[in-house]
């Protein structure tokens, strides 16, 4: 048997990735295109919905708003990258097993190589942690389908 990506996990995380990437693009569009092309007065009116008071430094206002949009763009694009890398790591993780043992992350192990089975988070989070001599493995049933079958296989031996 082998683990497969949980489609609900994948759909939700792809949606989050798309939202953060779109927000990053939107903020970037404001920071690098729309705000610089708009006069300081018109930008103030568009954002504040009122006329500026006499003597107000409109150019400083505009510069601050552009800087803020750049920061928002950077933050949301970094979050999108983080979510994307997380999705990639989950999709790339491979785990297969049979009656003799299992292969996880490209390394083949026998069932007897398992020296510790931590099920403290199994009931609440469906997280299974196993370890052997110099290695540890955490399997998350939210990320992959098949973890429950793997858990049964480990439980029978443990």
């Amino acid at each position: 048997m082998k683990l497969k990506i949980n489609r609900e996990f994948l759909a939700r995380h792809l949606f989050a990735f798309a939202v953060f990437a779109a927000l990053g693009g939107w903020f970037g569009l404001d920071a690098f295109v729309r705000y610089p092309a708009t006069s300081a007065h018109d930008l103030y009116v568009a954002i504040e919905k009122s006329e500026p008071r006499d003597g107000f430094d409109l150019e400083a206002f505009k510069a601050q708003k552009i800087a803020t949009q750049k920061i928002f763009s950077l933050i949301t694009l970094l979050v999108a990258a983080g979510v994307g890398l997380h999705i990639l790591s989950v999709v790339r993780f491979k785990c297969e097993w049979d009656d003799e043992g299992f292969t996880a992350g490209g390394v083949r192990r026998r069932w007897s190589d398992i020296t510790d089975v931590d099920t403290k988070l199994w009931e609440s989070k469906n997280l299974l942690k196993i370890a052997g001599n110099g290695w540890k493995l955490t399997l998350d049933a939210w990320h992959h389908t098949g973890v429950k079958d793997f858990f049964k296989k480990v439980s029978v031996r443990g």
Side-chain angles (χ1 to χ4, degrees):
M1 294 190 71
K2 66 181 178 178
L3 298 184
K4 295 180 183 163
I5 191 75
N6 179 348
R7 292 191 183 275
E8 183 182 358
F9 161 83
L10 184 60
R12 287 182 183 204
H13 281 71
L14 285 173
F15 177 76
F17 171 80
V19 167
F20 284 114
L23 284 170
W26 186 298
F27 292 134
L29 180 68
D30 282 349
F32 296 103
V33 178
R34 285 190 35 207
Y35 285 15
T38 305
S39 74
H41 175 269
D42 291 346
L43 184 62
Y44 182 91
V45 171
I47 293 173
E48 299 297 326
K49 307 291 187 235
S50 67
E51 287 293 323
R53 65 184 189 286
D54 289 338
F56 186 80
D57 188 349
L58 291 172
E59 291 305 321
F61 175 85
K62 180 177 177 176
Q64 184 269 329
K65 293 302 177 188
I66 289 172
T68 299
Q69 293 303 95
K70 287 178 181 178
I71 292 169
F72 287 166
S73 179
L74 177 64
I75 290 169
T76 53
L77 290 174
L78 286 173
V79 171
V83 172
L85 288 172
H86 179 62
I87 292 169
L88 187 62
S89 72
V90 170
V91 167
R92 290 179 49 106
F93 179 76
K94 304 293 181 219
C95 181
E96 298 182 6
W97 64 94
D98 54 32
D99 288 336
E100 284 77 42
F102 61 97
T103 303
V107 178
R108 180 74 180 167
R109 303 201 189 279
R110 295 182 312 262
W111 293 113
S112 59
D113 293 340
I114 300 172
T115 59
D116 184 44
V117 177
D118 180 353
T119 60
K120 287 181 234 153
L121 296 174
W122 181 252
E123 289 298 319
S124 62
K125 303 227 181 238
N126 284 335
L127 286 175
L128 173 63
K129 296 180 181 185
I130 60 174
N133 187 17
W135 60 272
K136 293 179 182 180
L137 178 64
T138 300
L139 299 176
D140 188 338
W142 168 234
H143 294 161
H144 297 98
T145 60
V147 173
K148 292 179 182 182
D149 295 326
F150 189 93
F151 175 77
K152 289 176 190 172
K153 200 79 165 168
V154 170
S155 296
V156 167
R157 286 164 169 62

